[in-house]
């Protein structure tokens, strides 16, 4: 387990900024203690520094996971967020999409969001902006990328895609073997 390099930090924080904007600093500077991001086996983990001090005594080969996995770097050095980061991203989300109850199941099965399933969308959401997806009861279901701006959504056809699927809570069941290991 090691700290992220400058290039990795830049790529990682650009991805987080796409979803939560300037609130990224709130993840590191928390009132309940110091937290940091560490890289282990191409995965980025969010971990308290107190827990990190204890983890130093564990051999790298024996350490499977520690803290919360935020995502992983691909072989082409792109960063993919995992659904395990949702609980930390949702409170700081700048742009949100709420789904109608009829569209929740489709999204949780890994499908994109159609205009017909859109309940609400944050004002001034730009095209290709990272969004957190909620149900109408304000429970976070996942995250995606807005396929249309807020103004375009108002005049879109019912079967037009308004949000591209990135990750959802259904992945805990569909991809439980690959989320951490």
């Amino acid at each position: 387990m090691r700290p992220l390099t400058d290039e990795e930090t830049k790529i990682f924080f650009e991805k987080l900024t796409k979803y939560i904007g300037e609130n990224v600093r709130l993840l590191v500077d928390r009132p309940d203690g110091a937290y940091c991001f560490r890289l282990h086996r191409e995965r980025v983990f969010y971990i308290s520094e107190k827990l990190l001090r204890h983890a130093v005594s564990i051999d790298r080969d024996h350490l499977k996971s520690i803290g919360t996995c935020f995502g992983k770097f691909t072989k082409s050095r792109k960063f993919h967020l995992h659904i395990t980061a949702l609980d930390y991203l949702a409170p700081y989300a700048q742009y949100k999409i709420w789904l109608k109850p009829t569209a929740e199941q489709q999204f949780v099965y890994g499908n994109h969001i159609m205009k017909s399933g859109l309940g609400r969308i944050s004002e001034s959401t730009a095209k290709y902006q990272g969004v957190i997806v909620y149900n109408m009861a304000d429970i976070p279901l996942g995250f995606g990328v807005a396929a249309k701006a807020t103004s375009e959504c108002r005049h879109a056809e019912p079967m037009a895609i308004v949000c591209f699927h990135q990750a959802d809570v259904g992945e805990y069941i569909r991809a439980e073997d690959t989320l951490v290991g």
Side-chain angles (χ1 to χ4, degrees):
M1 187 173 324
R2 64 171 176 78
L4 279 69
T5 64
D6 290 340
E7 180 186 346
E8 290 166 344
T9 303
K10 180 179 177 276
I11 294 168
F12 176 64
F13 281 129
E14 281 177 357
K15 180 65 95 167
L16 285 183
T17 302
K18 185 176 181 181
Y19 289 93
I20 61 176
E22 296 300 317
N23 293 331
V24 172
R25 60 181 166 71
L26 298 175
L27 289 174
V28 180
D29 302 329
R30 291 178 42 169
D32 60 337
Y35 283 75
C36 60
F37 294 101
R38 290 289 186 259
L39 188 76
H40 182 64
R41 297 184 182 167
E42 298 304 313
R43 286 171 167 57
V44 176
F45 290 93
Y46 182 60
I47 182 172
S48 72
E49 289 187 359
K50 180 180 177 184
L51 185 58
L52 183 62
R53 283 191 293 272
H54 294 293
V56 173
S57 63
I58 300 172
D59 185 30
R60 266 189 205 172
D61 297 334
H62 294 25
L63 187 64
K64 176 88 170 168
S65 170
I66 188 161
T68 302
C69 181
F70 261 51
K72 70 176 185 174
F73 282 99
T74 63
K75 290 185 169 133
S76 61
R77 303 315 293 163
K78 292 181 181 169
F79 185 76
H80 287 225
L81 274 173
H82 283 182
I83 189 61
T84 49
L86 181 64
D87 291 335
Y88 295 95
L89 298 179
Y92 304 115
Q94 291 183 322
Y95 301 101
K96 303 174 184 179
I97 286 182
W98 289 267
L99 295 180
K100 292 179 181 174
T102 55
E104 286 179 33
Q105 184 176 14
Q106 290 301 314
F107 181 74
V108 172
Y109 282 0
N111 297 317
H112 301 309
I113 300 171
M114 304 289 181
K115 164 76 161 63
S116 59
L118 184 67
R120 295 187 332 221
I121 186 170
S122 298
E123 284 298 319
S124 71
T125 301
K127 191 173 187 176
Y128 305 124
Q129 175 67 50
V131 294
I132 305 295
V133 179
Y134 292 86
N135 65 7
M136 293 306 274
D138 278 338
I139 298 172
L141 300 175
F143 42 86
V145 175
K148 297 185 181 300
T150 303
S151 58
E152 295 173 13
C153 289
R154 291 189 181 107
H155 307 293
E157 297 176 16
M159 295 308 291
I161 295 174
V162 295
C163 180
F164 298 119
H165 176 274
Q166 295 289 308
D168 64 78
V169 293
E171 287 181 24
Y172 283 116
I173 296 170
R174 291 193 314 268
E176 64 182 309
D177 295 338
T178 60
L179 276 179
V180 178

